[in-house]
Amino acid sequence: MLELEARKGGSVLRRSLPLARSRQAPDSPAFPRPVARWVRLRRPPSDTTDPARQASPIYSRWTPGGTLALPLPQGIRLPADAETSEALRLHLAKGVAVWVPRAEAEEAPPRRSVPVVTDPRLSQSATQSVLDVTVAEPLLTTVELVRTHLRWTLFGAMSGATRPLPESHGLVRGVTVRESKDGSVIIDVTLRAPVLGWRTTWSQGRGRLELRPVPPAAAGLTGLIVAIDAGHPPGGTVGPTGLAEDSVTLAVALEAAQRLRALGAHPFLTRGNARPVSLEARIARAEAAGAQVFVSIHANAPGDGRPPWSVDGTRVFWFQPQARRLAKSLEGSVGAALHLEDTGIVHADLAVTRATWFPAVLVEGTGLTMPAREAYLRSPRGIAEYAAGIVAGIRGWLVDQRAPVAEPAPLRVR
């Protein structure tokens, strides 16, 4: 029984409320249960998913249904130590675990021994540096970049005997291999100059880290392979009188490509018509074309409950550290070309900004939901000025590449 009493002056009010003891409720289906087994990451086959999306990494989360954590390559084996009805928790290293959907993990035999990382080799040329190591199976790896220092981590491995790599000319100055106490191998790479991009692969018992140097500023745009991504479809916003974002972005992309071509660059459009293209396919197409830089073009719209003029400005999104300079250059050039205030660059984990093989950014040139801006983007002048801003930003980024800059520290595994 719950007794309640309220007093005001000389008045007293009392009430009694009966309390019933409830039965013990069963565990919620979301409550984690301990398990002990190994799984291999696979995406279930789909008749409606294009090959690029089907083959893309599986993004893990720090908690079930929580924020994104790390991209996990399909095909790797990892131990699972907890589960819910919808997700599995995978153990990566001491104190590091992530969650993936149960549907994207299949039973796998456990490892008989810890994979050993050994025999590092380095080959360098004017266009690429390749560091590879012996490792028996594909592992989860991460790459962290701060200025001219790069850390390549291979989780769930131990380091074997290694010999120092001889001094060589090229982008890479030095390489050291060490074993971490958390159950991973860390390969520290010291660079002579800023890096344009990187990627990791595994094939036939060798793990590989490929690095690309920044193109020389003196060459200008000549020979530069530029991926121009006309944002949407699917999706996209629509202006007050029906102007669709995907038609605006395609017009700007075509105009920017023409201007880049006239300056000696090699533009590549991720789409050239109104047919929908997945976000994963856009990145895959750019990489297959050998792109050295990726710019996704958009027209902004406010979120629910926000007024149309809240997006009346230029904003550029970036994620990887080597893309920050590109974002800053485009923020100023596109804003100036469109006669708008630039509203800043935003560090954002978007599907098209995650690419590491080339600097990749997403540009929201201006809003499309105000009548004046919609009319401007419908006009040849608006399209030409938006495209001119894109080209100017890429040119400015090239000139600024070799200037020293303090890059922000990357997001570390927690």
Side-chain angles (χ1 to χ4, degrees):
M1 186 73 69
L2 181 65
E3 301 287 345
L4 302 177
E5 180 178 297
R7 294 176 179 271
K8 184 176 181 181
S11 301
V12 179
L13 180 66
R14 296 184 177 88
R15 290 287 187 271
S16 298
L17 299 176
L19 297 178
R21 185 182 298 274
S22 64
R23 297 181 179 180
Q24 182 67 34
D27 288 341
S28 164
F31 188 81
R33 301 177 295 274
V35 297
R37 63 173 180 268
W38 283 74
V39 298
R40 178 178 284 105
L41 296 181
R42 296 285 188 205
R43 181 168 284 111
S46 171
D47 294 333
T48 59
T49 299
D50 62 71
R53 178 176 290 181
Q54 184 70 35
S56 64
I58 293 169
Y59 268 81
S60 60
R61 299 180 182 272
W62 293 118
T63 58
T67 55
L68 291 175
L70 300 171
L72 307 180
Q74 294 190 52
I76 64 170
R77 288 190 295 171
L78 289 167
D81 61 9
E83 68 177 357
T84 68
S85 60
E86 301 293 333
L88 285 170
R89 187 173 69 185
L90 306 181
H91 176 78
L92 307 183
K94 185 178 181 181
V96 181
V98 296
W99 292 83
V100 298
R102 291 175 64 99
E104 295 179 337
E106 62 185 15
E107 295 286 339
R111 293 191 187 124
R112 295 182 178 180
S113 60
V114 177
V116 178
V117 176
T118 187
D119 190 24
R121 301 174 189 173
L122 176 65
S123 61
Q124 303 202 79
S125 68
T127 59
Q128 192 174 14
S129 296
V130 179
L131 172 65
D132 65 292
V133 295
T134 297
V135 60
E137 66 175 276
L139 302 174
L140 168 63
T141 71
T142 60
V143 177
E144 300 169 278
L145 173 69
V146 178
R147 301 187 194 176
T148 56
H149 181 82
L150 184 145
R151 173 180 292 179
W152 182 22
T153 302
L154 297 90
F155 290 89
M158 59 187 296
S159 176
T162 59
R163 50 186 173 79
L165 295 175
E167 182 77 15
S168 64
H169 297 288
L171 177 62
V172 176
R173 182 192 300 274
V175 177
T176 59
V177 181
R178 56 191 173 94
E179 192 172 307
S180 173
K181 294 180 180 179
D182 66 3
S184 58
V185 172
I186 297 174
I187 302 178
D188 291 299
V189 181
T190 304
L191 306 171
R192 286 190 172 89
V195 65
L196 181 73
W198 66 84
R199 65 183 173 190
T200 59
T201 55
W202 181 90
S203 177
Q204 299 180 345
R206 302 288 294 182
R208 170 176 287 197
L209 171 66
E210 299 173 82
L211 304 171
R212 306 169 91 183
V214 169
L221 289 170
T222 302
L224 186 73
I225 304 175
V226 182
I228 301 295
D229 176 49
H232 308 286
T237 191
V238 177
T241 65
L243 180 61
E245 181 179 2
D246 64 280
S247 64
V248 172
T249 60
L250 182 57
V252 174
L254 290 168
E255 176 69 20
Q258 182 177 332
R259 291 169 179 257
L260 287 165
R261 198 174 293 112
L263 294 170
H266 299 309
F268 170 79
L269 284 98
T270 61
R271 73 173 178 95
N273 52 46
R275 287 195 293 271
V277 180
S278 74
L279 300 176
E280 294 82 0
R282 294 165 189 261
I283 295 295
R285 290 178 181 184
E287 185 165 336
Q292 296 168 282
V293 61
F294 180 99
V295 178
S296 187
I297 299 170
H298 290 255
N300 213 347
D304 292 341
R306 298 180 62 201
W309 57 85
S310 64
V311 293
D312 188 24
T314 296
R315 181 167 292 179
V316 183
F317 298 83
W318 64 283
F319 184 63
Q320 301 295 352
Q322 84 277 23
R324 186 176 184 273
R325 290 185 183 188
L326 176 63
K328 190 65 179 174
S329 181
L330 284 162
E331 173 206 26
S333 66
V334 173
L338 298 181
H339 319 288
L340 289 171
E341 177 184 358
D342 46 76
T343 55
I345 62 174
V346 182
H347 187 248
D349 184 6
L350 306 177
V352 295
T353 63
R354 294 172 187 155
T356 59
W357 190 229
F358 36 69
V361 297
L362 185 149
V363 182
E364 296 278 11
T366 184
L368 184 61
T369 52
M370 291 186 297
R373 295 301 179 201
E374 182 193 36
Y376 174 66
L377 291 176
R378 193 189 292 275
S379 70
R381 176 191 169 194
I383 296 300
E385 290 183 342
Y386 195 165
I390 295 291
V391 174
I394 296 172
R395 295 182 75 177
W397 162 74
L398 276 174
V399 171
D400 188 48
Q401 275 298 290
R402 296 193 179 275
V405 65
E407 300 284 10
L411 178 67
R412 295 189 175 274
V413 177
R414 57 180 179 177

